[in-house]
Amino acid sequence: MKATEVKNYPLFIFKAKGFCIQTADYNYLKYIFNEDLKEVKTSFHIDDILYFKMSTGDFRKFKITNIEIKGVVDDLDLNQIGVISDGCSETVGEPKDECMFLLIEMDELKE
């Protein structure tokens, strides 16, 4: 089964000063790359470097400073978009029922 076919998916929140993207849609994660810009990033660790491909085609570079897992519940009605204080003002992609929130805090790195 493809990740895009499941009803529930973790809400990923990528947050830095002046930058916030959150998605519960696996399709958006294909715009986050490793340092070589050739492979999509499939795991996230503190001190990792991420490249976000923007709608303009340009990339923005970030370093992960902290990772938190929040909102692990057995009742998905408890995890409602807009309730989490660490989240962005809107979600990109197709919203899904969130089984947990993955907050990935970052610092932007200038080239």
Side-chain angles (χ1 to χ4, degrees), residues 12-64:
F12 285 85
I13 304 165
F14 297 94
K15 193 168 189 178
K17 184 177 182 179
F19 181 86
C20 190
I21 291 178
Q22 73 184 26
T23 182
D25 182 348
Y26 178 81
N27 283 329
Y28 184 79
L29 297 178
K30 67 184 176 188
Y31 296 104
I32 304 171
F33 290 85
N34 287 323
E35 283 193 77
D36 63 7
L37 300 178
K38 294 179 183 174
E39 292 188 24
V40 171
K41 188 84 170 133
T42 58
S43 63
F44 304 98
H45 303 88
I46 292 174
D47 293 330
D48 279 1
I49 303 298
L50 309 177
Y51 287 83
F52 283 78
K53 186 173 185 180
M54 309 310 291
S55 60
T56 61
D58 295 332
F59 287 89
R60 289 177 72 177
K61 181 179 178 181
F62 296 87
K63 181 178 181 178
I64 296 176

Side-chain angles (χ1 to χ4, degrees), residues 1 15 40 63-64 74 80-81 102 104 109:
M1 175 181 281
K15 193 168 189 178
V40 171
K63 181 178 181 178
I64 296 176
D74 64 348
Q80 297 295 319
I81 293 175
L102 303 172
I104 300 173
L109 303 174

